[in-house]
Amino acid sequence: MNQKKTDKVNMAVIGLGVGRWHADSWTQTANTRLVALCDADEKKLTQAKEHYGVKGYTSYQELCEDEEVDAVSVCVPNYLHAPISIYALEHGKHVLCEKPLANTISAGEAMVSAAKKSGLVAMVAMKFRYTNEAVYIHRLLEEGKLGEIYYGWTTYLRQLGGIPGMGGWFTRKPLSGGGPMIDNGVHFLDVLWWLMGCPKPTRVSGATYAKFGPLGKGASGWNRVPEPDEFSVEDLATAIIHFENGASVLIDNGWAGFVPSEVIGLRVMGTKGGATMWPFAVCEESEDGRVSTSVPDLTGSHVDTQFFHFADCILNNKTPISSFENCLTVLKMLCAVYESADAKKEVEIL
Ligand SMILES: NC(=O)c1ccc[n+]([C@@H]2O[C@H](COP(=O)([O-])OP(=O)(O)OC[C@H]3O[C@@H](n4cnc5c(N)ncnc54)[C@H](O)[C@@H]3O)[C@@H](O)[C@H]2O)c1
């Protein structure tokens, strides 16, 4: 891994949708500075350049020639994660790529190969791993306080109206890789799997449903029946995932459905204790055998944000917690959910 001698990493952002959050973060993070922006949309680029007062490019290839840039945030639609991340790595730039790693397993594998070949820092922006609650639960796991983790569960369901970017890349399977399972489910499965100690997945049984999107329902501000290629993803997916160590995960994710209000939840269950996020709580057995539930006070506790962690890995020659290689397994589980749903049977993960 390249080691830098300066105390700050010079960052650029490619793609200025959620990339604006990255740009804000690079200006606010102690070990980074924002030096350049890139968006193929000239209007967006001009607005952002004026806002941040930095240079801009409409071509990511030209941005990657800029020697002032040490590293890039890749914040473009999912199908562009692989070509742009690989190009950046081949041109000497460390990469923080938005989730999911890629829209297909083969694209994800190519990214992992490029990262290995480059020796640079290549990380996926799995933001939930870098939260106070997740780091607290992960520490309990590492200290053995939860015992053997045998079950995990997570849900995130939106009401009707929650389909994002209807008709655009989000709802076109060849561009996104899928609907809510790969879009939001990736975050929930990622942090749950990490809190379970990243066991090796072996088998997946999934089901997907598209009950609203194809009718033109479920997206706010959309009022016609989409063409089939405009909505070719699910609007709800559910799965059970089995692991080599015997543990399993139950997950569902939906963009649109009749739920009383948005539903969000995650839990890990071990032989000595358990924990939940949303709401955050820890359940343990005390020495006298009684079961107690608490909400640990995390006021004032500090964990590194994903942005600080990424730069810290560059400056101090560390491997990121959510490396491309680590997150390829998450992508494999998500793709297996779709494969199983299409095949209408359980599938194996190799
Ligand atoms: N972590 C999160 O909470 C979060 C939230 C939203 C989106 N995302 C992820 O971020 C990525 C982008 O999502 P978004 O909602 O910002 O999408 P978006 O469509 O709003 O923005 C993408 C931007 O990329 C630009 N772009 C497209 N092709 C380009 C190219 N070849 N070169 C340069 N710029 C190009 C577009 O002009 C656009 O401005 C996706 O992978 C998505 O899954 C993550």
Side-chain angles (χ1 to χ4, degrees):
M1 226 181 284
N2 287 1
Q3 191 148 16
K4 279 181 58 68
K5 298 208 170 48
T6 59
D7 59 341
K8 288 197 182 200
V9 176
N10 287 345
M11 292 298 316
V13 177
I14 306 174
L16 296 170
V18 78
R20 292 286 296 242
W21 171 48
H22 285 238
D24 286 341
S25 302
W26 299 130
T27 63
Q28 292 158 11
T29 299
N31 56 2
T32 63
R33 63 171 76 84
L34 179 71
V35 298
L37 300 167
C38 169
D39 200 292
D41 180 332
E42 218 160 327
K43 203 170 147 201
K44 270 191 184 178
L45 180 65
T46 305
Q47 279 172 353
K49 262 170 48 182
E50 278 172 18
H51 178 80
Y52 295 101
V54 297
K55 61 194 154 185
Y57 299 90
T58 50
S59 149
Y60 70 84
Q61 291 94 338
E62 276 179 34
L63 171 83
C64 289
E65 299 299 326
D66 186 331
E67 288 187 359
E68 197 191 0
V69 174
D70 299 319
V72 294
S73 282
V74 173
C75 301
V76 290
N78 298 352
Y79 71 101
L80 293 172
H81 288 187
I84 295 184
S85 296
I86 292 170
Y87 191 91
L89 289 165
E90 286 175 350
H91 288 76
K93 311 299 184 197
H94 306 274
V95 173
L96 176 66
C97 183
E98 259 304 339
K99 57 75 195 169
L101 174 65
N103 59 329
T104 65
I105 294 176
S106 58
E109 285 172 341
M111 291 169 80
V112 171
S113 299
K116 278 189 185 157
K117 204 168 158 198
S118 71
L120 299 166
V121 174
M123 171 173 149
V124 184
M126 295 298 197
K127 63 181 178 185
F128 288 162
R129 292 196 200 188
Y130 304 90
T131 56
N132 274 317
E133 293 81 0
V135 170
Y136 186 93
I137 299 169
H138 195 260
R139 199 171 301 130
L140 293 179
L141 167 86
E142 285 189 320
E143 289 169 354
K145 293 196 172 138
L146 302 178
E148 175 205 339
I149 306 287
Y150 58 92
Y151 181 62
W153 165 87
T154 183
T155 184
Y156 178 53
L157 303 174
R158 290 182 185 156
Q159 284 188 313
L160 286 184
I163 297 177
M166 182 77 160
W169 70 264
F170 269 103
T171 60
R172 293 172 189 249
K173 175 122 180 159
L175 307 184
S176 59
M181 183 56 81
I182 199 164
D183 177 37
N184 295 319
V186 62
H187 276 310
F188 291 84
L189 180 59
D190 175 74
V191 71
L192 179 58
W193 177 66
W194 185 61
L195 293 176
M196 293 175 74
C198 300
K200 186 182 180 317
T202 51
R203 297 176 286 129
V204 175
S205 179
T208 56
Y209 303 89
K211 299 293 183 190
F212 302 102
L215 306 177
K217 288 177 73 176
S220 58
W222 181 272
N223 55 13
R224 67 176 171 84
V225 173
E227 297 298 325
D229 65 331
E230 287 181 310
F231 193 93
S232 52
V233 295
E234 84 281 7
D235 46 37
L236 183 134
T238 179
I240 183 157
I241 303 170
H242 298 272
F243 299 93
E244 198 173 59
N245 64 1
S248 63
V249 152
L250 187 62
I251 179 172
D252 60 28
N253 261 260
W255 275 340
F258 287 104
V259 282
S261 59
E262 188 176 85
V263 183
I264 178 168
L266 180 146
R267 97 166 47 101
V268 284
M269 291 174 68
T271 51
K272 290 188 187 165
T276 61
M277 282 174 74
W278 314 297
F280 175 52
V282 174
C283 183
E284 288 167 295
E285 193 176 21
S286 49
E287 277 174 14
D288 62 6
R290 278 184 306 134
V291 176
S292 66
T293 300
S294 63
V295 181
D297 183 6
L298 300 180
T299 318
S301 65
H302 169 82
V303 299
D304 292 344
T305 66
Q306 60 179 352
F307 300 103
F308 185 92
H309 177 66
F310 174 69
D312 189 37
C313 289
I314 295 170
L315 294 167
N316 296 305
N317 204 21
K318 295 181 189 166
T319 301
I321 293 169
S322 50
S323 68
F324 277 15
E325 188 171 17
N326 180 261
C327 295
L328 177 61
T329 304
V330 179
L331 180 65
K332 285 184 177 174
M333 289 188 267
L334 295 166
C335 291
V337 173
Y338 292 129
E339 191 192 333
S340 163
D342 289 347
K344 295 188 168 49
K345 62 176 188 186
E346 186 174 87
V347 298
E348 288 187 3
I349 299 188
L350 300 175

